[in-house]
Amino acid sequence: MTAAGAPETAIAWRDALRRGEISAREAVAHFLARIEDRAELGAFLTVTAEHARAAAAAADARFAATPRSERGGLPRLHGLPTAVKDLVEVAGAATTRGSAALRHPVAASDAPGVAVLRAAGAIPLGKTQVPELGLTGYSENAIAPPARNPLDPTRTPGGSSGGSAAAIAADLIPVGPGTDGGGSIRIPALACGLVGLKPGLGAVPGDFGSAAAPSVHDEFGAPRLTVSGPLARSAADAAMLYDAQRGAAAEPALAAVRAADSLTGLRIACTEASPFASAYPIAIGPEARRAAETARDRLARRGHRLEAADFVYDPGYPDAFTTSWTAGLSRLPLAASAEERLMPLTRAFRTRAVARSDAAHARAGARLREFAADVREQWGAYDAVLTPGLTMLPPRIGAFTSLDADDDYRLQCEWAPFTSMVNVSGLPAIAVPVLRLPTGHAMGVQIIGRVGGEHRLLQLAAQLAAE
């Protein structure tokens, strides 16, 4: 099997594997070769080739032992290669969390989301690059070369799922899971020209309810921010993986995408308002604005009603979000000798978090709960909300880390000012590429949905891509 003859989509890979046209061992070998060929992208921290080959051999043995008439009952993602960002445990692989200051234990078992995908037949090929502790919207750390954007390797692919996004955009894996606590699926998707779905809180069963995430609020009472979702090159591929992440018996999200042409008549708000505007100058670049205008035109041609909306956000949001986002660092167990090995931004924000009282963290959490209730009411007057994606092209590698901690954080907020508010709200949102610029860079938009609106968001993404 050659690269020229390989399937072009994750669904095509899945279908070829389930029909036996390609063996799991062939699929794994193909993508391991791709990873080796594009090592300069820094997408992977660890490649677990032997584990993947063993899993592929087992998948092929299962296929051979299954009568042809029963192969429809094979796991839905039978033999499909993927990868997992290195904030998440994969059995037999070290978990670095992108940090030189922490130990890198080898996981004895899979995290719940990985276990669900493995049960669905997916084969992890390794662990992808992340920023330290997943804190930033770029994927650079002190333990490995930075992840680079396949559309322009001088620029960041975003973060914290940046390694996974780079791997998918460069065809090192066909599709992959990410996690999103402030934009960590959507930012890399927008930077790399991918579709990235941040489901609503609780839509993916493994995201909370465990000892690590027992409720919809964190220990300080702030809304729980992080959820799991798919990164993919198309809405259909994203829907296929989302169905698997949810452990769905059928494929309702994929069925919805295939019926996307029937969706019409939605009332969609259009806004450039950001809650970070009270703290930072939010300047939407011409490429970002053109992408938003293009999206509006395409959706209007589909029969949707696009309306300008004047949303008003709490001016205290930037401080409350930053406080809550970094509050967990006050609980980070760290030897004094290890602190100097933290990245400068992590070290600065941890120092501040440790200095704050639990009461201060709780006040920030309470303010975010109020913010969540307010925006859910404002956005709830519409079927969906359309915002720009990123305000400008992805910054160059080193642009963030060359700054002090506060300016690093400021640049992140100015580049991606529309994502974190959706995590606070608990609602679903999707990042969709809309334009490919003459330079090769991608620009896209974000669409925010209602509770339970993930399928509708995937349909809207499919409509945007089909134009």
Side-chain angles (χ1 to χ4, degrees), residues 44 82 148 172 193 274 330:
F44 280 78
T82 189
R148 295 180 178 272
L172 311 188
S274 165
S330 67

Side-chain angles (χ1 to χ4, degrees), residues 248-259:
E251 291 188 319
L254 183 55
V257 167
R258 288 172 170 164

Side-chain angles (χ1 to χ4, degrees), residues 11-32:
I11 289 176
W13 274 103
R14 188 277 301 270
D15 292 347
L17 283 158
R18 285 174 61 86
R19 288 192 297 262
E21 296 168 0
I22 298 172
S23 71
R25 279 175 285 198
E26 287 174 323
V28 164
H30 170 82
F31 285 107
L32 288 175

Side-chain angles (χ1 to χ4, degrees), residues 253-328:
L254 183 55
V257 167
R258 288 172 170 164
D261 285 346
S262 65
L263 182 66
T264 191
L266 298 185
R267 185 179 179 222
I268 300 175
C270 302
T271 181
E272 294 182 355
S274 165
F276 281 110
S278 61
Y280 306 112
I282 306 302
I284 299 170
E287 300 93 348
R289 183 161 282 122
R290 184 154 62 92
E293 291 169 352
T294 300
R296 289 197 291 270
D297 291 345
R298 290 179 183 176
L299 291 172
R301 288 198 294 271
R302 290 284 185 156
H304 304 298
R305 291 181 294 147
L306 283 297
E307 303 176 13
D310 295 321
F311 297 124
V312 178
Y313 298 126
D314 177 4
Y317 175 86
D319 182 64
F321 177 79
T322 305
T323 297
S324 287
W325 178 240
T326 58

Side-chain angles (χ1 to χ4, degrees), residues 112 206-215 217-219 224:
D207 282 343
F208 72 91
S210 66
S215 77
H217 298 120
D218 68 18
E219 65 175 298
R224 192 166 295 283

